[in-house]
Amino acid sequence: MSSSSHKIRVMVVDDSALMRKLISDILTKDPELEVVTTAMDGLFALKKIPQVRPDVITLDLDMPRMDGLTALRYIVHDYQIPVVLVSSLTTTGGNLTLQGLALGAVDFVTKPQDAISAHIHEIARELIWKVKIASRVSLKKVRRSAMAAAPVKPVAPVMKRTPRGALKKVVAIGISTGGPNAISYMLPLLPEEFPAGILIVQHMPEGFTEMFANRLNQTCQLTVKEARDGDRLLPGTVLIAPGNKHLKVTRIHGQGVAVLSSSPPVNGHRPSADVLFDSVSQEFGPNVIGVIMTGMGEDGARGLGRIKAAGGYTLAQDEETCVVFGMPKVAMEMGNVNEVSSLDNLADRLEALVAGEEVTMHVERRA
């Protein structure tokens, strides 16, 4: 961009002077970004916002005086400024991050440990990319997505039953930016007796996916867990791809089994929705329902086409309910989507499609 007036204006909020400098240095290396100010805690940030009017705020969550979650509430509701969380890779940091997303943060990145960290270049690339995405996101959609997920109440803390019956279908879901809230809204709407196994690729760093799965398991009638090598694909069970691992499936004695892989990233992602979609289309063909949901980029768009070509059925989340209408849009433009559904209706559509003949009927009618 030729003029700084057209740059994306960023405020960096962190209680560590080292982190403020490191994050600022990362962002200012991109010609489209400008760090207009920094703040050492939430109170300073709230005082500076009216003066500098940033387009995006990067926000640490663990800070003195006013913590990040409290500041986030004010930023989202009073100033309507998109926020990218910068989170430490700890259990506490992970849980705070998931709470922050539920409060309306657009996305998050893992906090770099220092300027010579082995992954600093990956983190820098991801931070720049997510700040740019946040600057273009409709905060109204982010807040609506967060509010939709919030009312879901935890299920009673009882032992979940071992799934019974045959696996009727396999549901494979690819999702990215805006995904945690969308999944947190949709999955609790599915019944315990859901006769399909569900596989999910959510673009999320290593370490966070297990916390995310555990959190979902507390709010769903379904059993939700981070996938492990050898996990069986069972009705009423959800397997979430671990961060930094591709998720595939294979058949052993007719039983679907999860296989994790450290092969190179696809479309810049590991896990990749395309890898999952390719795998289920090969192993389960017409018995697959592929779903592509909110997210930036094109991961999953081609794999969705392979599910459709194998006789499976494909769904895309609609533009109105997507925080970022990227992945579904690309899949639709490629002609790889049988049906478009709002987030509100997606659980009902999955129940209906898994129930039986409707899958074949829809494919024939829309082919």
Side-chain angles (χ1 to χ4, degrees), residues 51-131:
Q51 302 166 15
V52 299
R53 304 186 66 83
D55 300 311
V56 180
I57 295 173
T58 71
L59 181 66
D60 181 25
L61 290 174
D62 187 11
M63 296 182 293
R65 295 212 304 166
M66 180 182 284
D67 65 88
L69 289 181
T70 302
L72 177 64
R73 290 184 177 93
Y74 286 108
I75 293 167
V76 170
H77 293 282
D78 293 357
Y79 295 103
Q80 290 85 50
I81 297 171
V83 173
V84 175
L85 304 175
V86 183
S87 173
S88 60
L89 186 54
T90 63
T91 300
T92 300
N95 286 324
L96 287 174
T97 299
L98 293 173
Q99 292 178 53
L101 294 173
L103 288 173
V106 175
D107 211 330
F108 75 99
V109 296
T110 306
K111 179 178 287 191
Q113 298 304 307
D114 52 57
I116 58 173
S117 168
H119 302 291
I120 188 64
H121 295 297
E122 295 174 24
I123 293 170
R125 200 161 43 240
E126 183 183 12
L127 177 60
I128 290 169
W129 186 54
K130 289 186 175 181
V131 165

Side-chain angles (χ1 to χ4, degrees), residues 309-327:
Y313 194 77
T314 59
L315 289 164
Q317 185 180 348
D318 68 356
E319 182 174 7
E320 182 62 26
T321 59
C322 279
V323 169
V324 180
F325 189 56
M327 289 156 53

Side-chain angles (χ1 to χ4, degrees), residues 167-171 251 280 284-289 310-313 359:
L167 188 73
K168 292 189 68 174
K169 296 287 178 183
V170 174
V171 177
R251 282 180 185 257
V280 293
F284 293 97
N287 292 315
V288 177
I289 299 170
Y313 194 77
V359 175

Side-chain angles (χ1 to χ4, degrees), residues 280-288 304-313:
V280 293
S281 67
Q282 292 168 17
E283 294 293 332
F284 293 97
N287 292 315
V288 177
L304 205 70
R306 286 185 270 276
I307 290 174
K308 186 180 177 186
Y313 194 77

Side-chain angles (χ1 to χ4, degrees), residues 266-267 272-278 298-304 306:
V266 175
N267 304 316
S272 162
D274 267 331
V275 171
L276 173 63
F277 290 169
D278 287 353
E298 58 183 37
D299 188 37
R302 290 175 178 81
L304 205 70
R306 286 185 270 276

Side-chain angles (χ1 to χ4, degrees), residues 199 201 227-233 239 241-242 245-252 255-263 271 275-276 279 283:
L199 302 161
V201 163
R228 295 285 185 266
D229 264 319
D231 280 343
R232 291 188 299 157
L233 188 54
L239 300 179
K245 294 282 187 181
H246 291 305
L247 175 59
K248 302 179 181 180
V249 291
T250 189
R251 282 180 185 257
I252 298 177
Q255 172 73 58
V257 174
V259 178
L260 302 183
S261 165
S262 297
S263 58
V275 171
L276 173 63
S279 178
E283 294 293 332

Side-chain angles (χ1 to χ4, degrees), residues 13 40 101 108 111 142 161 163 165 203 216 245 264 266 367:
V13 185
M40 63 187 296
L101 294 173
F108 75 99
K111 179 178 287 191
V142 177
R161 290 185 295 174
H203 295 156
L216 286 169
K245 294 282 187 181
V266 175

Side-chain angles (χ1 to χ4, degrees), residues 189-205:
L189 300 178
L190 294 173
E192 182 182 9
E193 301 296 331
F194 190 63
I198 300 176
L199 302 161
I200 298 177
V201 163
Q202 161 72 63
H203 295 156
M204 189 176 276

